[in-house]
Amino acid sequence: MAKKYGKKYIAAAEKVDSDKLYSIDEAAALVKDIDFAKFDATVEIAFNLNVDTRQADQQLRGAVVLPNGTGKDQTVVVFAQGDKAKEAEAAGADVVGAADLVQRISDGWLDFDVAIATPDMMAQVGRVGRTLGPKGLMPNPKTGTVTFDVAKAVSDAKSGQVTYRTDRDGNVAVPAGKVSFDADKLAGNLKALGDLILKARPSSVKGTYVQHVSISSTFGPAINIDPTSL
């Protein structure tokens, strides 16, 4: 069954040339112009990559601090104890705990955006792995959220860090900011993410690496981006 679109979506889509590959600067301005949400929508960039995620070295995963932030206040929890707990609190973590925090999450509390843990806490955190994992909240060394440098991890999370990873089909979708951002700041974030993906190219990939790139706001139509503008 064909998907039915509302009048606002159709009007927005009519402003996008589906046959054109826009530069990042053009796309950043256009995504703001065509957004019709009644809230400050998130702008997301999506890459389709020529990678085989069955190969371990072609699975991309990591984190990056966007130069102009995400436009979202992140609630950060830290699993730590002793001096590391004090460091996390001083750095601005919203909730810091050890076994008590594990129990709180086990009881159903998930009102946070980022979870950080010191390596010595991971055995306890593993008890709620089945709860945190599906939500994308499980601390992971690849995203810098399992570390003894909790102060930096908290600072990064609070200042606009986003995580990324390939799905089974080689797609990577990453939030790049809000439609309320100035176009140049939004473009700056998009370029930073494009640069990140290019630098993460696995050495074993042959042929064209970035096959397709597009951006869209929460409810808006996709705008295709020229990969060479990355």
Side-chain angles (χ1 to χ4, degrees):
M1 182 181 295
K3 185 175 181 179
K4 294 183 178 180
Y5 294 104
K7 292 181 180 179
K8 291 182 178 179
Y9 180 95
I10 293 172
E14 288 176 347
K15 295 182 179 180
V16 180
D17 183 348
S18 59
D19 295 323
K20 178 178 179 179
L21 294 178
Y22 292 82
S23 70
I24 285 182
D25 290 324
E26 290 174 326
L30 182 57
V31 77
K32 289 171 55 66
D33 180 54
I34 65 175
D35 180 69
F36 56 86
K38 294 181 179 179
F39 56 90
D40 191 7
T42 296
V43 175
E44 184 177 81
I45 184 169
F47 303 87
N48 177 246
L49 307 176
N50 175 29
V51 294
D52 181 358
T53 54
R54 295 172 297 179
Q55 309 299 320
D57 67 320
Q58 294 190 27
Q59 297 173 9
L60 277 59
R61 183 171 188 176
V64 62
V65 177
L66 296 178
N68 297 305
T70 62
K72 177 182 178 182
D73 292 329
Q74 300 272 58
T75 299
V76 179
V77 304
V78 179
F79 297 92
Q81 51 194 351
D83 290 342
K84 291 301 175 182
K86 294 177 182 177
E87 288 179 24
E89 290 172 350
D94 297 281
V95 179
V96 180
D100 57 326
L101 180 54
V102 172
Q103 185 60 53
R104 186 176 176 185
I105 291 171
S106 183
D107 291 339
W109 182 72
L110 287 170
D111 193 18
F112 55 92
D113 303 296
V114 180
I116 296 165
T118 54
D120 59 308
M121 287 297 301
M122 285 306 292
Q124 293 191 52
V125 177
R127 289 168 45 199
V128 288
R130 290 186 178 182
T131 300
L132 298 178
K135 299 289 186 181
L137 295 171
M138 187 68 178
N140 189 298
K142 291 184 178 180
T143 59
T145 50
V146 176
T147 176
F148 279 119
D149 193 354
V150 291
K152 181 180 184 302
V154 171
S155 176
D156 286 347
K158 287 288 189 178
S159 59
Q161 179 173 276
V162 293
T163 60
Y164 64 93
R165 67 182 301 176
T166 44
D167 66 16
R168 61 185 298 176
D169 296 317
N171 300 307
V172 179
V174 195
K178 299 287 187 177
V179 293
S180 61
F181 281 22
D182 290 341
D184 59 340
K185 290 187 176 181
L186 185 56
N189 281 353
L190 293 167
K191 290 173 182 176
L193 289 167
D195 189 50
L196 172 76
I197 295 299
L198 291 177
K199 288 181 177 178
R201 175 177 179 150
S203 59
S204 57
V205 169
K206 307 300 181 184
T208 302
Y209 170 52
V210 180
Q211 296 184 318
H212 184 260
V213 187
S214 66
I215 68 169
S216 61
S217 59
T218 304
F219 294 139
I223 301 168
N224 296 323
I225 290 178
D226 183 355
T228 63
S229 74
L230 299 178

